[in-house]
Amino acid sequence: VSFAFRSVLTVACEQTEVLLFDPISSKHIKTLSEAHEDCVNNIRFLDNRLFATCSDDTTIALWDLRKLNTKVCTLHGHTSWVKNIEYDTNTRLLVTSGFDGNVIIWDTNRCTEDGCPHKKFFHTRFLMRMRLTPDCSKMLISTSSGYLLILHDLDLTKSLEVGSYPILRARRTTSSSDLTTSGSSGPRVSGSPCHHSDSNSSSEKHMSRASQREGVSPRNSLEVLTPEVPGERDRGNCITSLQLHPKGWATLLRCSSNTDDQEWTCVYEFQEGAPVRPVSPRCSLRLTHYIEEANVGRGYIKELCFSPDGRMISSPHGYGIRLLGFDKQCSELIDCLPKEASPLRVIRSLYSHNDVVLTTKFSPTHCQIASGCLSGRVSLYQPKF
């Protein structure tokens, strides 16, 4: 399940349903019983009334809260499970990603009942999650082979030479220059649609051939990183969940080892600086905080999140959630950056489920947190003053 808040709490279900609740009274408002033909994976509000859903049926659907008996339109373009929806409010472009490895751009300015004009923006193997920074200046893409891709100076209206980017495959060597060593692919049978494969912890930067010829850092320049993960210096990892700090200062990753015996929540600060080479992107990541997770419900993806002010992290932990801070006072990240990576602090643990918690979300408008578990139970938490 996954969540999105505005005037309603919406819940994406493993079957074909979308549930709507009043987040204040916790009352059930409506069930969209056949929202899709397969599992509903993600919900994204575009404004106070319009929202989008995506599904394993390979489609995206647009909905209007004022008329929920029928979809506004259905978008066709992906060839496999669609897992992620982002939205650029400036251009009104919808951005989706799926396990076909494609990132697709949809022009919601020209929507009809038959859909929206769309184009394939980017492609890479083993794609897991895709996010836009709050100012839409960067796109981050995580892979099940342990890579984190960053597109800098993002221009969603520009068509990319997709074929000029390196094909990222599972790593079987410690060579920092090897990005094309072949490996196996495909969904895991144990319940997770991610494939764990080897990678090392070195940082790598790659540009398209066209960019190298120009000798400048262009729009949509690509950086490829293998983020450092505690305890994983000599083993690969799968980046299963990817979130961004609401002020764009950092990225939040949930990583699991390729042997599935360890799981970590990690925070990485964006490091801006002068280019190493004239054609190099201007950013790399630095691990600032981390914590080891319970590693239960192996094979399932656990979605974590920042609070709206970025001071806290809500993370699935066994049959509940943990509220994590950068220090005990829940200070801003920028005010407590350590010289070396430091453990996240557990502020509070909340346990109310009878099954493994897979997702958690802060309300952007209310002092409230929601969590959802594998058996379908939804819990709402609100502090007492």
Side-chain angles (χ1 to χ4, degrees), residues 84-382:
N84 209 173
I85 305 172
E86 293 286 281
Y87 185 64
D88 183 346
T89 55
N90 297 318
T91 61
R92 288 175 53 86
L93 294 175
L94 196 69
V95 190
T96 61
S97 66
F99 282 1
D100 55 5
N102 292 325
V103 176
I104 295 180
I105 308 295
W106 310 83
D107 187 357
T108 60
N109 298 292
R110 295 189 287 161
C111 266
T112 68
E113 292 182 358
D114 298 324
C116 301
H118 67 280
K119 66 176 181 180
K120 187 185 295 186
F121 181 74
F122 189 82
H123 176 85
T124 185
R125 293 184 65 187
F126 306 118
L127 189 154
M128 285 292 295
R129 292 291 185 266
M130 172 274 305
R131 303 288 180 192
L132 301 181
T133 54
D135 62 359
C136 295
S137 65
K138 296 179 178 68
M139 177 185 290
L140 279 74
I141 297 171
S142 65
T143 75
S144 60
S145 51
Y147 291 107
L148 185 68
L149 286 65
I150 306 178
L151 284 167
H152 296 274
D153 299 317
L154 188 65
D155 184 356
L156 295 174
T157 65
K158 182 179 179 181
S159 296
L160 295 182
E161 295 180 26
V162 177
S164 68
Y165 289 90
I167 299 174
L168 304 180
R169 296 197 176 104
R171 190 187 288 273
R172 288 184 178 174
T173 174
T174 58
S175 169
S176 62
S177 61
D178 183 9
L179 274 177
T180 56
T181 302
S182 62
S184 59
S185 63
R188 300 182 64 210
V189 179
S190 62
S192 169
C194 67
H195 172 73
H196 292 240
S197 43
D198 292 338
S199 67
N200 68 13
S201 59
S202 64
S203 171
E204 303 167 73
K205 298 176 182 179
H206 292 263
M207 302 290 293
S208 68
R209 296 187 184 94
S211 304
Q212 292 173 346
R213 286 196 300 269
E214 294 169 5
V216 295
S217 181
R219 303 296 296 271
N220 299 327
S221 57
L222 176 68
E223 182 178 21
V224 181
L225 300 170
T226 49
E228 175 189 356
V229 178
E232 294 297 311
R233 296 181 184 276
D234 300 318
R235 294 190 295 171
N237 63 83
C238 174
I239 304 174
T240 57
S241 180
L242 166 65
Q243 300 290 339
L244 287 166
H245 190 281
K247 296 181 181 178
W249 294 338
T251 183
L252 176 64
L253 304 183
R254 184 74 168 248
C255 304
S256 56
S257 62
N258 64 328
T259 53
D260 234 2
D261 60 345
Q262 281 185 303
E263 202 168 4
W264 298 86
T265 289
C266 301
V267 179
Y268 301 85
E269 176 201 15
F270 285 110
Q271 293 282 289
E272 301 289 348
V276 178
R277 301 187 305 273
V279 297
S280 296
R282 295 178 296 281
C283 178
S284 58
L285 297 176
R286 181 173 75 93
L287 177 65
T288 63
H289 297 84
Y290 62 88
I291 194 167
E292 189 167 4
E293 297 289 2
N295 195 38
V296 297
R298 295 185 182 185
Y300 286 95
I301 297 170
K302 290 97 176 182
E303 299 286 1
L304 63 177
C305 66
F306 278 109
S307 62
D309 61 6
R311 292 171 179 258
M312 295 180 64
I313 294 165
S314 182
S315 173
H317 188 263
Y319 285 19
I321 61 175
R322 291 193 298 188
L323 301 182
L324 309 172
F326 305 114
D327 61 14
K328 286 292 187 182
Q329 292 72 42
C330 294
S331 301
E332 293 267 17
L333 173 62
I334 199 170
D335 294 329
C336 54
L337 286 173
K339 292 183 179 179
E340 296 182 354
S342 301
L344 287 163
R345 304 297 182 94
V346 180
I347 307 301
R348 184 79 180 270
S349 297
L350 304 170
Y351 295 97
S352 64
H353 291 274
N354 296 318
D355 208 337
V356 178
V357 174
L358 300 182
T359 186
T360 179
K361 190 76 171 179
F362 281 93
S363 167
T365 54
H366 303 97
C367 193
Q368 202 170 35
I369 311 169
S371 63
C373 70
L374 185 58
S375 62
R377 177 185 171 86
V378 177
S379 292
L380 293 171
Y381 311 90
Q382 191 167 348

